Amino acid sequence: MITNLPTAELLSDTLAQADFLPRLPQQRRLYEAAKAAILSQQLGAGCKLPSTRNLAKDLGIARNTIIAAFEQLVAEGFVVTSTGSGTYVAATLPTVSRPKGKLKELPASTPKIPLAGPAPLSKRGAQLTEFAAGERYEIQPFAPGDCDFSTFPYKIWQRLQNRVWRDSWSELLDYGKAGGYLPLRRAIAEYLRVSRSVKVSIDQVMITAGTQQSLDLCAQLLADVGDTAWVENPCYWGARRVFESCDLHLHPIAVDAEGIAPTASELMSKPRLIYVTPSHQYPTGVVMSLARRRMLLELAENEGAWILEDDYDSEFRYTGRPLAALQGLDAHGRVVYMGTFSKVLYPGIKVGYLVVPPLLVEPFKSALYDLHRPGQLMIQAALADFIAAGHFTTHIRKIRQAYGAKRELLRKTLVAQVGNNIKISGEESGLHLVIELPDQVDDVALASLAAESGIAVKPLSNYYLQQPVRRGLLVGYAYVNMDKISYYGKLLAHVIQAGTRL
Ligand SMILES: Cc1ncc(COP(=O)(O)O)c(C=O)c1O
């Protein structure tokens, strides 16, 4: 016979429901049943709970289980105990009276979390998500931007990681201070000096969680809301999103055969930030001429603007040495240089770096720590060892050769099918090439047509901030194996022929 109605009956009814949290232990089920009754005010504030002894008897549950569930309810503030007088529902909930009923009716009275309809975002949130790139698509033939991470030297990496975990000291489990793991910063400084002619001391190097975070730091620290950021047009969408999220005014500047090409009237405007990809403009692949580099540096110096140089894929230059960075020409400390390991190693590593002018070292270090609490020192340590032991340069050499061969095969396959009517550009370096299309061709429609054959090329016009100036298709080849390049290359050529009558 149940001795303490209605509380015991209420709980007993809930626990008897076969679908009430069947996989959880009894103590947790009892706690959840009592909590639900309190939240739905079936057990109102001030209501006395039965003694643990009586409840154990009524519910047929061990008393220790009841005590443990009550203790949890006390700890979370749902009930209070008063020595000698018992356990009561706490008075912290609204005291609107409701008809008492069984817990079976609970779902009808539980507040509903909306599952559909417009998301209640801020204006900025709504704007940002309106054009979001969405989930990362499954890697498909010719998706631009992807490297072939199947060639990553797993075994070597595993050995280095194991050694770091075995030998390392506990500081590596802490947040990263002072801009990241010192030996990695040293290795990066050395690498950039030799292979990119970057003027850099170790102090100026800061490890970030990739270019996206580097850009965010620059936008937060160097520009105010409403300031103007010049971006190349067409532009890397990731940079555009970051600047938009910081409420900067984006001013698209056309790109011609020499890189970013501001008009005379644009040169009179006062940008605060100038985002550029001088070694391999993303997405067109144009290399910025020396004259343009000089012009930009002079402008930045005169106007007090900051140039953000995104050097994301210079490792993959197929003819000759990688190009020297714009930063190396900067005599006035106006360039913030950034690089990433996403393309050379694998995207999920999320390790990138910034080289900031000397005056910005302290503020950047402090903001990096305060805003992002960087970590992953174990990965940074393994990466430092990976570079120091020469595996990094060996890996780059290997993949550069492999990607170069893929690029050549793709070019030959396309030309063999379509003939010299096809114009290919931007293929001297990087992980993708651009097939240029006549102005009247709808490259978005053509990319959709290609998608029907399982080909994930991207239309050039999607990268423009305003009306597209040029039409084309971005074709990524690094990830695709040689057999698939032949097969899908022919397929793509057919799609282009069908869509353009070339
Ligand atoms: C122009 C450009 N910069 C940088 C990156 C890499 O960014 P992250 O280091 O955030 O992966 C990409 C990746 O696609 C890119 O296309």
PDB file of all heavy atoms in Angstrom, residues 382-396:
ATOM      1  N   ALA A 382      54.821  18.371 -31.891  1.00  0.00           N
ATOM      2  CA  ALA A 382      55.062  17.329 -32.906  1.00  0.00           C
ATOM      3  C   ALA A 382      55.403  17.994 -34.245  1.00  0.00           C
ATOM      4  O   ALA A 382      56.296  17.534 -34.968  1.00  0.00           O
ATOM      5  CB  ALA A 382      53.834  16.440 -33.048  1.00  0.00           C
ATOM      6  N   LEU A 383      54.703  19.089 -34.551  1.00  0.00           N
ATOM      7  CA  LEU A 383      54.947  19.784 -35.815  1.00  0.00           C
ATOM      8  C   LEU A 383      56.358  20.393 -35.840  1.00  0.00           C
ATOM      9  O   LEU A 383      57.054  20.330 -36.863  1.00  0.00           O
ATOM     10  CB  LEU A 383      53.872  20.865 -36.007  1.00  0.00           C
ATOM     11  CG  LEU A 383      53.875  21.668 -37.300  1.00  0.00           C
ATOM     12  CD1 LEU A 383      53.965  20.769 -38.523  1.00  0.00           C
ATOM     13  CD2 LEU A 383      52.626  22.537 -37.381  1.00  0.00           C
ATOM     14  N   ALA A 384      56.780  20.938 -34.713  1.00  0.00           N
ATOM     15  CA  ALA A 384      58.139  21.500 -34.636  1.00  0.00           C
ATOM     16  C   ALA A 384      59.166  20.406 -34.917  1.00  0.00           C
ATOM     17  O   ALA A 384      60.120  20.612 -35.677  1.00  0.00           O
ATOM     18  CB  ALA A 384      58.375  22.118 -33.259  1.00  0.00           C
ATOM     19  N   ASP A 385      58.961  19.226 -34.317  1.00  0.00           N
ATOM     20  CA  ASP A 385      59.888  18.105 -34.552  1.00  0.00           C
ATOM     21  C   ASP A 385      59.837  17.658 -36.021  1.00  0.00           C
ATOM     22  O   ASP A 385      60.850  17.309 -36.616  1.00  0.00           O
ATOM     23  CB  ASP A 385      59.528  16.914 -33.650  1.00  0.00           C
ATOM     24  CG  ASP A 385      59.835  17.214 -32.186  1.00  0.00           C
ATOM     25  OD1 ASP A 385      60.542  18.217 -31.921  1.00  0.00           O
ATOM     26  OD2 ASP A 385      59.360  16.460 -31.305  1.00  0.00           O
ATOM     27  N   PHE A 386      58.617  17.655 -36.562  1.00  0.00           N
ATOM     28  CA  PHE A 386      58.404  17.238 -37.957  1.00  0.00           C
ATOM     29  C   PHE A 386      59.212  18.140 -38.904  1.00  0.00           C
ATOM     30  O   PHE A 386      59.868  17.667 -39.824  1.00  0.00           O
ATOM     31  CB  PHE A 386      56.900  17.356 -38.255  1.00  0.00           C
ATOM     32  CG  PHE A 386      56.450  16.818 -39.578  1.00  0.00           C
ATOM     33  CD1 PHE A 386      56.302  15.452 -39.779  1.00  0.00           C
ATOM     34  CD2 PHE A 386      56.142  17.679 -40.629  1.00  0.00           C
ATOM     35  CE1 PHE A 386      55.853  14.954 -41.002  1.00  0.00           C
ATOM     36  CE2 PHE A 386      55.702  17.194 -41.845  1.00  0.00           C
ATOM     37  CZ  PHE A 386      55.565  15.824 -42.029  1.00  0.00           C
ATOM     38  N   ILE A 387      59.187  19.442 -38.613  1.00  0.00           N
ATOM     39  CA  ILE A 387      59.935  20.382 -39.465  1.00  0.00           C
ATOM     40  C   ILE A 387      61.435  20.230 -39.220  1.00  0.00           C
ATOM     41  O   ILE A 387      62.226  20.123 -40.157  1.00  0.00           O
ATOM     42  CB  ILE A 387      59.482  21.838 -39.203  1.00  0.00           C
ATOM     43  CG1 ILE A 387      58.005  22.003 -39.555  1.00  0.00           C
ATOM     44  CG2 ILE A 387      60.334  22.825 -40.010  1.00  0.00           C
ATOM     45  CD1 ILE A 387      57.406  23.361 -39.201  1.00  0.00           C
ATOM     46  N   ALA A 388      61.821  20.177 -37.931  1.00  0.00           N
ATOM     47  CA  ALA A 388      63.247  20.124 -37.588  1.00  0.00           C
ATOM     48  C   ALA A 388      63.921  18.884 -38.175  1.00  0.00           C
ATOM     49  O   ALA A 388      65.085  18.940 -38.588  1.00  0.00           O
ATOM     50  CB  ALA A 388      63.411  20.148 -36.071  1.00  0.00           C
ATOM     51  N   ALA A 389      63.192  17.772 -38.249  1.00  0.00           N
ATOM     52  CA  ALA A 389      63.802  16.532 -38.754  1.00  0.00           C
ATOM     53  C   ALA A 389      63.803  16.472 -40.283  1.00  0.00           C
ATOM     54  O   ALA A 389      64.221  15.464 -40.865  1.00  0.00           O
ATOM     55  CB  ALA A 389      63.053  15.333 -38.180  1.00  0.00           C
ATOM     56  N   GLY A 390      63.282  17.514 -40.937  1.00  0.00           N
ATOM     57  CA  GLY A 390      63.329  17.560 -42.410  1.00  0.00           C
ATOM     58  C   GLY A 390      62.131  16.904 -43.087  1.00  0.00           C
ATOM     59  O   GLY A 390      62.048  16.886 -44.321  1.00  0.00           O
ATOM     60  N   HIS A 391      61.179  16.358 -42.282  1.00  0.00           N
ATOM     61  CA  HIS A 391      60.039  15.673 -42.916  1.00  0.00           C
ATOM     62  C   HIS A 391      59.143  16.652 -43.675  1.00  0.00           C
ATOM     63  O   HIS A 391      58.523  16.297 -44.673  1.00  0.00           O
ATOM     64  CB  HIS A 391      59.199  14.949 -41.856  1.00  0.00           C
ATOM     65  CG  HIS A 391      59.979  13.938 -41.087  1.00  0.00           C
ATOM     66  ND1 HIS A 391      60.658  12.911 -41.703  1.00  0.00           N
ATOM     67  CD2 HIS A 391      60.201  13.794 -39.755  1.00  0.00           C
ATOM     68  CE1 HIS A 391      61.258  12.180 -40.784  1.00  0.00           C
ATOM     69  NE2 HIS A 391      61.004  12.695 -39.593  1.00  0.00           N
ATOM     70  N   PHE A 392      59.092  17.875 -43.180  1.00  0.00           N
ATOM     71  CA  PHE A 392      58.221  18.873 -43.804  1.00  0.00           C
ATOM     72  C   PHE A 392      58.674  19.159 -45.237  1.00  0.00           C
ATOM     73  O   PHE A 392      57.876  19.092 -46.177  1.00  0.00           O
ATOM     74  CB  PHE A 392      58.251  20.148 -42.949  1.00  0.00           C
ATOM     75  CG  PHE A 392      57.292  21.215 -43.380  1.00  0.00           C
ATOM     76  CD1 PHE A 392      55.933  20.972 -43.426  1.00  0.00           C
ATOM     77  CD2 PHE A 392      57.744  22.484 -43.733  1.00  0.00           C
ATOM     78  CE1 PHE A 392      55.036  21.957 -43.810  1.00  0.00           C
ATOM     79  CE2 PHE A 392      56.864  23.480 -44.120  1.00  0.00           C
ATOM     80  CZ  PHE A 392      55.509  23.211 -44.158  1.00  0.00           C
ATOM     81  N   THR A 393      59.965  19.445 -45.401  1.00  0.00           N
ATOM     82  CA  THR A 393      60.449  19.766 -46.754  1.00  0.00           C
ATOM     83  C   THR A 393      60.352  18.538 -47.666  1.00  0.00           C
ATOM     84  O   THR A 393      60.000  18.656 -48.837  1.00  0.00           O
ATOM     85  CB  THR A 393      61.903  20.292 -46.738  1.00  0.00           C
ATOM     86  OG1 THR A 393      62.589  19.695 -45.658  1.00  0.00           O
ATOM     87  CG2 THR A 393      61.959  21.782 -46.593  1.00  0.00           C
ATOM     88  N   THR A 394      60.622  17.352 -47.108  1.00  0.00           N
ATOM     89  CA  THR A 394      60.502  16.138 -47.934  1.00  0.00           C
ATOM     90  C   THR A 394      59.054  15.978 -48.403  1.00  0.00           C
ATOM     91  O   THR A 394      58.788  15.677 -49.574  1.00  0.00           O
ATOM     92  CB  THR A 394      60.891  14.885 -47.108  1.00  0.00           C
ATOM     93  OG1 THR A 394      62.160  15.134 -46.532  1.00  0.00           O
ATOM     94  CG2 THR A 394      60.921  13.638 -47.943  1.00  0.00           C
ATOM     95  N   HIS A 395      58.117  16.179 -47.462  1.00  0.00           N
ATOM     96  CA  HIS A 395      56.698  16.016 -47.801  1.00  0.00           C
ATOM     97  C   HIS A 395      56.278  17.027 -48.877  1.00  0.00           C
ATOM     98  O   HIS A 395      55.619  16.662 -49.858  1.00  0.00           O
ATOM     99  CB  HIS A 395      55.859  16.196 -46.531  1.00  0.00           C
ATOM    100  CG  HIS A 395      54.392  16.024 -46.755  1.00  0.00           C
ATOM    101  ND1 HIS A 395      53.843  14.869 -47.257  1.00  0.00           N
ATOM    102  CD2 HIS A 395      53.348  16.882 -46.553  1.00  0.00           C
ATOM    103  CE1 HIS A 395      52.533  15.017 -47.356  1.00  0.00           C
ATOM    104  NE2 HIS A 395      52.207  16.229 -46.935  1.00  0.00           N
ATOM    105  N   ILE A 396      56.715  18.266 -48.707  1.00  0.00           N
ATOM    106  CA  ILE A 396      56.350  19.292 -49.699  1.00  0.00           C
ATOM    107  C   ILE A 396      56.889  18.908 -51.076  1.00  0.00           C
ATOM    108  O   ILE A 396      56.185  18.989 -52.083  1.00  0.00           O
ATOM    109  CB  ILE A 396      56.903  20.686 -49.301  1.00  0.00           C
ATOM    110  CG1 ILE A 396      56.174  21.210 -48.062  1.00  0.00           C
ATOM    111  CG2 ILE A 396      56.753  21.693 -50.446  1.00  0.00           C
ATOM    112  CD1 ILE A 396      56.707  22.527 -47.561  1.00  0.00           C
TER     113      ILE A 396
END
